């Protein structure tokens, strides 16, 4: 039997949102999670629904960024919203980085700032999407990919990637 893993990284400015995201995603998967984009979408949709209920009952505006990965060691699929990132490392090099849902990343895509300037941009924390409730659900889901021996992932919040550069990540995996 294969072991499937679901890894979740999130960032929030409210501990109740953090608790809701952790609880819902982890407890809604009693057995090995299904390895598909549709299933990952459903897991995050469930978390957003509960987060929306919590927002309503507490009259708060809690929300959360998220990056989630499901893998069985042979295949992988991921999803993200906000400025939490997934780095996919293949052949000891970063082969893919999720696109932040922030004004700073949009500025980078439009050629206004460089990739490295995202870290220090005054718009770095101004998000274009996050997980807040089921009515305002906006996140990206990857295709299922085939993994090769040695492939790895780094899931992190902006508190990590603001200070740890891509060259440093690659150096760590080159060892």
């Amino acid at each position: 039997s294969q072991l499937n893993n679901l890894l979740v990284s999130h960032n929030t400015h409210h501990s109740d949102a953090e608790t809701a995201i952790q609880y819902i995603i982890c407890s809604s998967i009693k057995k090995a999670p299904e390895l598909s984009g549709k299933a990952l979408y459903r897991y995050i949709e469930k978390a957003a629904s509960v987060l929306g209920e919590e927002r309503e009952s507490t009259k708060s505006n809690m929300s959360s960024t998220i990056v989630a990965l499901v893998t069985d060691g042979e295949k992988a699929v991921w999803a993200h919203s906000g400025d939490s990132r997934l780095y996919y490392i293949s052949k000891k090099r970063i082969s893919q980085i999720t696109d932040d849902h922030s004004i700073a990343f949009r500025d980078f895509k439009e050629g206004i700032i460089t990739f490295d300037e995202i870290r220090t941009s005054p718009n770095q924390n101004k998000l274009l999407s996050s997980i807040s409730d089921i009515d305002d659900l906006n996140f990206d889901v990857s295709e299922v990919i085939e993994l090769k021996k040695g492939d790895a992932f780094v899931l992190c919040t902006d508190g990590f990637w603001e200070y740890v550069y891509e060259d440093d990540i690659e150096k760590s995996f080159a060892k």
Side-chain angles (χ1 to χ4, degrees), residues 155-167:
L155 285 71
C156 58
T157 65
D158 59 337
F160 178 85
W161 64 256
E162 281 180 16
Y163 304 102
V164 179
Y165 287 73
E166 289 71 25
D167 289 345

Side-chain angles (χ1 to χ4, degrees), residues 18-83:
E18 179 178 338
T19 302
I21 294 289
Q22 282 179 332
Y23 175 77
I24 295 308
I25 290 182
C26 295
S27 68
S28 68
I29 305 169
K30 300 287 187 202
K31 56 183 181 175
E34 182 183 330
L35 205 155
S36 74
K38 287 181 181 181
L40 187 51
Y41 187 93
R42 286 193 313 269
Y43 301 145
I44 295 173
E45 188 176 56
K46 172 93 171 154
S49 175
V50 171
L51 188 56
E53 291 170 10
E54 183 71 17
R55 283 170 51 104
E56 184 67 30
S57 70
T58 61
K59 305 294 185 217
S60 71
N61 63 352
M62 69 175 86
S63 65
S64 180
T65 67
I66 188 169
V67 58
L69 168 72
V70 179
T71 183
D72 64 3
E74 296 176 9
K75 296 179 183 175
V77 62
W78 58 86
H80 82 287
S81 181
D83 59 358

Side-chain angles (χ1 to χ4, degrees), residues 89-108:
I89 292 93
S90 185
K91 299 179 183 172
K92 300 182 181 181
R93 307 277 308 164
I94 295 172
S95 70
Q96 191 168 353
I97 303 172
T98 54
D99 290 354
D100 300 348
H101 301 130
S102 69
I103 293 174
F105 198 87
R106 184 184 65 195
D107 289 348
F108 158 69

Side-chain angles (χ1 to χ4, degrees), residues 137-150:
L137 197 55
N138 184 19
F139 60 94
D140 296 334
V141 179
S142 74
E143 297 292 321
V144 174
I145 63 163
E146 299 282 335
L147 299 176
K148 298 170 208 68
K149 184 176 179 168

